[in-house]
PDB file of all heavy atoms in Angstrom:
ATOM      1  N   HIS A 205      -4.180  13.742  -2.619  1.00 90.00           N
ATOM      2  CA  HIS A 205      -5.499  14.300  -2.419  1.00 90.00           C
ATOM      3  C   HIS A 205      -5.616  15.771  -2.635  1.00 90.00           C
ATOM      4  O   HIS A 205      -6.751  16.296  -2.834  1.00 90.00           O
ATOM      5  CB  HIS A 205      -6.067  13.902  -0.967  1.00 90.00           C
ATOM      6  CG  HIS A 205      -5.143  14.402   0.102  1.00 90.00           C
ATOM      7  ND1 HIS A 205      -4.017  13.751   0.539  1.00 90.00           N
ATOM      8  CD2 HIS A 205      -5.188  15.524   0.844  1.00 90.00           C
ATOM      9  CE1 HIS A 205      -3.449  14.388   1.496  1.00 90.00           C
ATOM     10  NE2 HIS A 205      -4.121  15.587   1.632  1.00 90.00           N
ATOM     11  N   VAL A 206      -4.569  16.486  -2.723  1.00 91.00           N
ATOM     12  CA  VAL A 206      -4.579  17.961  -3.007  1.00 91.00           C
ATOM     13  C   VAL A 206      -4.914  18.171  -4.527  1.00 91.00           C
ATOM     14  O   VAL A 206      -5.782  19.001  -4.824  1.00 91.00           O
ATOM     15  CB  VAL A 206      -3.244  18.664  -2.713  1.00 91.00           C
ATOM     16  CG1 VAL A 206      -3.291  20.024  -3.135  1.00 91.00           C
ATOM     17  CG2 VAL A 206      -3.010  18.508  -1.096  1.00 91.00           C
ATOM     18  N   THR A 207      -4.336  17.401  -5.331  1.00 93.00           N
ATOM     19  CA  THR A 207      -4.566  17.461  -6.757  1.00 93.00           C
ATOM     20  C   THR A 207      -5.689  16.479  -7.250  1.00 93.00           C
ATOM     21  O   THR A 207      -6.092  16.638  -8.445  1.00 93.00           O
ATOM     22  CB  THR A 207      -3.290  17.288  -7.666  1.00 93.00           C
ATOM     23  OG1 THR A 207      -2.830  16.000  -7.413  1.00 93.00           O
ATOM     24  CG2 THR A 207      -2.267  18.254  -7.229  1.00 93.00           C
ATOM     25  N   SER A 208      -6.062  15.545  -6.414  1.00 93.00           N
ATOM     26  CA  SER A 208      -6.962  14.427  -6.754  1.00 93.00           C
ATOM     27  C   SER A 208      -6.524  13.694  -8.051  1.00 93.00           C
ATOM     28  O   SER A 208      -7.255  13.330  -8.929  1.00 93.00           O
ATOM     29  CB  SER A 208      -8.409  15.045  -7.113  1.00 93.00           C
ATOM     30  OG  SER A 208      -8.972  15.646  -5.953  1.00 93.00           O
ATOM     31  N   ARG A 209      -5.194  13.395  -7.938  1.00 95.00           N
ATOM     32  CA  ARG A 209      -4.594  12.607  -9.045  1.00 95.00           C
ATOM     33  C   ARG A 209      -3.675  11.551  -8.468  1.00 95.00           C
ATOM     34  O   ARG A 209      -3.083  11.734  -7.338  1.00 95.00           O
ATOM     35  CB  ARG A 209      -3.765  13.535  -9.948  1.00 95.00           C
ATOM     36  CG  ARG A 209      -4.658  14.413 -10.670  1.00 95.00           C
ATOM     37  CD  ARG A 209      -3.920  15.193 -11.736  1.00 95.00           C
ATOM     38  NE  ARG A 209      -4.880  15.941 -12.419  1.00 95.00           N
ATOM     39  CZ  ARG A 209      -4.574  16.669 -13.500  1.00 95.00           C
ATOM     40  NH1 ARG A 209      -3.311  16.705 -13.968  1.00 95.00           N
ATOM     41  NH2 ARG A 209      -5.465  17.300 -14.146  1.00 95.00           N
ATOM     42  N   TRP A 210      -3.418  10.500  -9.264  1.00 96.00           N
ATOM     43  CA  TRP A 210      -2.454   9.495  -8.896  1.00 96.00           C
ATOM     44  C   TRP A 210      -1.025  10.002  -9.460  1.00 96.00           C
ATOM     45  O   TRP A 210      -1.032  10.416 -10.611  1.00 96.00           O
ATOM     46  CB  TRP A 210      -2.699   8.203  -9.526  1.00 96.00           C
ATOM     47  CG  TRP A 210      -3.877   7.407  -8.935  1.00 96.00           C
ATOM     48  CD1 TRP A 210      -5.166   7.426  -9.355  1.00 96.00           C
ATOM     49  CD2 TRP A 210      -3.893   6.740  -7.759  1.00 96.00           C
ATOM     50  NE1 TRP A 210      -6.021   6.680  -8.639  1.00 96.00           N
ATOM     51  CE2 TRP A 210      -5.265   6.193  -7.557  1.00 96.00           C
ATOM     52  CE3 TRP A 210      -2.951   6.472  -6.748  1.00 96.00           C
ATOM     53  CZ2 TRP A 210      -5.620   5.502  -6.457  1.00 96.00           C
ATOM     54  CZ3 TRP A 210      -3.365   5.748  -5.621  1.00 96.00           C
ATOM     55  CH2 TRP A 210      -4.636   5.275  -5.440  1.00 96.00           C
ATOM     56  N   THR A 211      -0.020   9.985  -8.571  1.00 97.00           N
ATOM     57  CA  THR A 211       1.358  10.234  -9.063  1.00 97.00           C
ATOM     58  C   THR A 211       2.042   8.897  -9.139  1.00 97.00           C
ATOM     59  O   THR A 211       1.643   7.944  -8.471  1.00 97.00           O
ATOM     60  CB  THR A 211       2.033  11.208  -8.142  1.00 97.00           C
ATOM     61  OG1 THR A 211       2.148  10.698  -6.840  1.00 97.00           O
ATOM     62  CG2 THR A 211       1.385  12.565  -8.134  1.00 97.00           C
ATOM     63  N   TRP A 212       3.009   8.744  -9.962  1.00 98.00           N
ATOM     64  CA  TRP A 212       3.613   7.394 -10.070  1.00 98.00           C
ATOM     65  C   TRP A 212       5.243   7.563 -10.203  1.00 98.00           C
ATOM     66  O   TRP A 212       5.707   8.583 -10.606  1.00 98.00           O
ATOM     67  CB  TRP A 212       3.097   6.645 -11.205  1.00 98.00           C
ATOM     68  CG  TRP A 212       3.279   7.151 -12.512  1.00 98.00           C
ATOM     69  CD1 TRP A 212       2.529   8.118 -13.244  1.00 98.00           C
ATOM     70  CD2 TRP A 212       4.364   6.926 -13.413  1.00 98.00           C
ATOM     71  NE1 TRP A 212       3.016   8.338 -14.399  1.00 98.00           N
ATOM     72  CE2 TRP A 212       4.175   7.711 -14.625  1.00 98.00           C
ATOM     73  CE3 TRP A 212       5.524   6.156 -13.376  1.00 98.00           C
ATOM     74  CZ2 TRP A 212       4.952   7.562 -15.698  1.00 98.00           C
ATOM     75  CZ3 TRP A 212       6.443   6.073 -14.462  1.00 98.00           C
ATOM     76  CH2 TRP A 212       6.102   6.791 -15.590  1.00 98.00           C
ATOM     77  N   ALA A 213       5.814   6.468  -9.970  1.00 98.00           N
ATOM     78  CA  ALA A 213       7.276   6.346 -10.113  1.00 98.00           C
ATOM     79  C   ALA A 213       7.557   4.880 -10.521  1.00 98.00           C
ATOM     80  O   ALA A 213       6.784   4.003 -10.324  1.00 98.00           O
ATOM     81  CB  ALA A 213       8.086   6.622  -8.833  1.00 98.00           C
ATOM     82  N   LEU A 214       8.692   4.744 -11.283  1.00 97.00           N
ATOM     83  CA  LEU A 214       9.115   3.354 -11.555  1.00 97.00           C
ATOM     84  C   LEU A 214       9.706   2.726 -10.294  1.00 97.00           C
ATOM     85  O   LEU A 214      10.456   3.385  -9.612  1.00 97.00           O
ATOM     86  CB  LEU A 214      10.184   3.377 -12.639  1.00 97.00           C
ATOM     87  CG  LEU A 214       9.773   3.825 -14.018  1.00 97.00           C
ATOM     88  CD1 LEU A 214      10.941   3.986 -15.030  1.00 97.00           C
ATOM     89  CD2 LEU A 214       8.741   2.849 -14.611  1.00 97.00           C
ATOM     90  N   ILE A 215       9.265   1.518  -9.953  1.00 97.00           N
ATOM     91  CA  ILE A 215       9.738   0.854  -8.806  1.00 97.00           C
ATOM     92  C   ILE A 215      11.236   0.644  -8.977  1.00 97.00           C
ATOM     93  O   ILE A 215      11.734   0.134  -9.999  1.00 97.00           O
ATOM     94  CB  ILE A 215       8.996  -0.476  -8.664  1.00 97.00           C
ATOM     95  CG1 ILE A 215       7.439  -0.194  -8.454  1.00 97.00           C
ATOM     96  CG2 ILE A 215       9.539  -1.305  -7.460  1.00 97.00           C
ATOM     97  CD1 ILE A 215       6.609  -1.429  -8.528  1.00 97.00           C
ATOM     98  N   GLY A 216      11.931   1.011  -7.902  1.00 96.00           N
ATOM     99  CA  GLY A 216      13.415   0.924  -7.890  1.00 96.00           C
ATOM    100  C   GLY A 216      14.145   2.104  -8.356  1.00 96.00           C
ATOM    101  O   GLY A 216      15.356   2.223  -8.301  1.00 96.00           O
ATOM    102  N   SER A 217      13.414   3.134  -8.982  1.00 97.00           N
ATOM    103  CA  SER A 217      13.987   4.332  -9.464  1.00 97.00           C
ATOM    104  C   SER A 217      14.360   5.224  -8.343  1.00 97.00           C
ATOM    105  O   SER A 217      13.876   5.102  -7.220  1.00 97.00           O
ATOM    106  CB  SER A 217      13.107   5.027 -10.394  1.00 97.00           C
ATOM    107  OG  SER A 217      11.953   5.578  -9.753  1.00 97.00           O
ATOM    108  N   PRO A 218      15.248   6.262  -8.525  1.00 97.00           N
ATOM    109  CA  PRO A 218      15.609   7.162  -7.529  1.00 97.00           C
ATOM    110  C   PRO A 218      14.548   8.248  -7.161  1.00 97.00           C
ATOM    111  O   PRO A 218      14.811   9.229  -6.536  1.00 97.00           O
ATOM    112  CB  PRO A 218      16.926   7.827  -8.020  1.00 97.00           C
ATOM    113  CG  PRO A 218      16.739   7.838  -9.469  1.00 97.00           C
ATOM    114  CD  PRO A 218      15.953   6.527  -9.770  1.00 97.00           C
ATOM    115  N   GLU A 219      13.250   8.023  -7.503  1.00 97.00           N
ATOM    116  CA  GLU A 219      12.182   9.009  -7.266  1.00 97.00           C
ATOM    117  C   GLU A 219      11.533   8.760  -5.908  1.00 97.00           C
ATOM    118  O   GLU A 219      11.491   7.667  -5.332  1.00 97.00           O
ATOM    119  CB  GLU A 219      11.120   8.779  -8.380  1.00 97.00           C
ATOM    120  CG  GLU A 219      11.574   9.119  -9.711  1.00 97.00           C
ATOM    121  CD  GLU A 219      10.522   9.066 -10.755  1.00 97.00           C
ATOM    122  OE1 GLU A 219       9.521   9.759 -10.633  1.00 97.00           O
ATOM    123  OE2 GLU A 219      10.646   8.215 -11.608  1.00 97.00           O
ATOM    124  N   ILE A 220      11.043   9.862  -5.368  1.00 97.00           N
ATOM    125  CA  ILE A 220      10.313   9.839  -4.070  1.00 97.00           C
ATOM    126  C   ILE A 220       8.922  10.569  -4.474  1.00 97.00           C
ATOM    127  O   ILE A 220       8.814  11.545  -4.914  1.00 97.00           O
ATOM    128  CB  ILE A 220      10.974  10.684  -3.032  1.00 97.00           C
ATOM    129  CG1 ILE A 220      12.327   9.866  -2.633  1.00 97.00           C
ATOM    130  CG2 ILE A 220      10.098  10.830  -1.819  1.00 97.00           C
ATOM    131  CD1 ILE A 220      13.152  10.677  -1.572  1.00 97.00           C
ATOM    132  N   LEU A 221       7.903   9.618  -4.202  1.00 98.00           N
ATOM    133  CA  LEU A 221       6.497  10.136  -4.374  1.00 98.00           C
ATOM    134  C   LEU A 221       6.029  10.771  -3.105  1.00 98.00           C
ATOM    135  O   LEU A 221       6.300  10.190  -1.967  1.00 98.00           O
ATOM    136  CB  LEU A 221       5.623   8.990  -4.756  1.00 98.00           C
ATOM    137  CG  LEU A 221       5.775   8.249  -6.084  1.00 98.00           C
ATOM    138  CD1 LEU A 221       4.883   7.070  -6.182  1.00 98.00           C
ATOM    139  CD2 LEU A 221       5.626   9.242  -7.214  1.00 98.00           C
ATOM    140  N   GLU A 222       5.419  11.954  -3.127  1.00 96.00           N
ATOM    141  CA  GLU A 222       5.079  12.613  -1.982  1.00 96.00           C
ATOM    142  C   GLU A 222       3.608  13.102  -2.018  1.00 96.00           C
ATOM    143  O   GLU A 222       3.122  13.567  -3.044  1.00 96.00           O
ATOM    144  CB  GLU A 222       5.940  13.807  -1.642  1.00 96.00           C
ATOM    145  CG  GLU A 222       7.374  13.523  -1.508  1.00 96.00           C
ATOM    146  CD  GLU A 222       8.229  14.709  -1.292  1.00 96.00           C
ATOM    147  OE1 GLU A 222       8.513  15.334  -2.259  1.00 96.00           O
ATOM    148  OE2 GLU A 222       8.647  14.934  -0.157  1.00 96.00           O
ATOM    149  N   ASN A 223       2.940  13.119  -0.836  1.00 95.00           N
ATOM    150  CA  ASN A 223       1.655  13.909  -0.621  1.00 95.00           C
ATOM    151  C   ASN A 223       1.916  14.542   0.689  1.00 95.00           C
ATOM    152  O   ASN A 223       2.895  14.371   1.387  1.00 95.00           O
ATOM    153  CB  ASN A 223       0.406  13.099  -0.907  1.00 95.00           C
ATOM    154  CG  ASN A 223       0.203  12.064   0.206  1.00 95.00           C
ATOM    155  OD1 ASN A 223       0.685  12.063   1.382  1.00 95.00           O
ATOM    156  ND2 ASN A 223      -0.742  11.047  -0.062  1.00 95.00           N
ATOM    157  N   THR A 224       0.854  15.253   1.168  1.00 94.00           N
ATOM    158  CA  THR A 224       0.999  15.963   2.510  1.00 94.00           C
ATOM    159  C   THR A 224       1.189  15.077   3.718  1.00 94.00           C
ATOM    160  O   THR A 224       1.630  15.389   4.726  1.00 94.00           O
ATOM    161  CB  THR A 224      -0.182  16.876   2.821  1.00 94.00           C
ATOM    162  OG1 THR A 224      -1.347  16.172   2.712  1.00 94.00           O
ATOM    163  CG2 THR A 224      -0.214  18.102   1.746  1.00 94.00           C
TER     164      THR A 224
END
Side-chain angles (χ1 to χ4, degrees):
H205 58 273
V206 174
T207 62
S208 297
R209 293 188 175 185
W210 290 102
T211 59
W212 64 273
L214 293 173
I215 297 169
S217 73
E219 294 180 63
I220 294 178
L221 296 175
E222 296 178 286
N223 71 20
T224 56

